[in-house]
Amino acid sequence: LETGDPATVAKRYAKDGVLLPTLSDVPRNDFKGIKECFVGFLKKRPVGKIPEGEIFIGNNWAQDAGIYEFTFNDGSKVKARYSFIYAFEDGQWMISH
């Protein structure tokens, strides 16, 4: 997110990755949709922190779940639960879900 570049962020998702956005009720399941979601989100210049989380690691997968909080450039905040599933794809850890 710190890059501020939606394409760079979207490239972190696996080929068949799914994004269930924090600030939207529209699931995104392709590069174009994931990138478009981050266009609006990154315009708000989010700064995130994770006050609570757990990570589990398996064979070529990892799970990270907990609570995160974003503060935006207008001073507003959002606190939400999150879950990420990572898959080892083409030699890199990618966000699967």
Side-chain angles (χ1 to χ4, degrees), residues 1 3-13 31 35 42:
L1 297 178
T3 68
D5 180 28
T8 299
V9 176
K11 287 178 187 175
R12 297 298 305 136
Y13 283 78
F31 178 81
K35 179 183 167 189
L42 293 176

Side-chain angles (χ1 to χ4, degrees), residues 61-75:
W61 65 270
Q63 172 186 301
D64 180 4
I67 303 294
Y68 57 21
E69 182 175 282
F70 288 103
T71 303
F72 301 103
N73 61 343
D74 66 359

Side-chain angles (χ1 to χ4, degrees), residues 85-96:
I85 305 295
Y86 297 90
F88 200 66
E89 182 179 281
D90 298 328
Q92 293 187 0
W93 285 102
M94 305 297 287
I95 300 168
S96 175

Side-chain angles (χ1 to χ4, degrees), residues 15-30:
K15 293 172 193 151
D16 295 325
V18 175
L19 169 64
L20 302 175
T22 300
L23 302 180
S24 169
D25 61 357
V26 178
R28 314 299 170 111
N29 59 7
D30 62 13

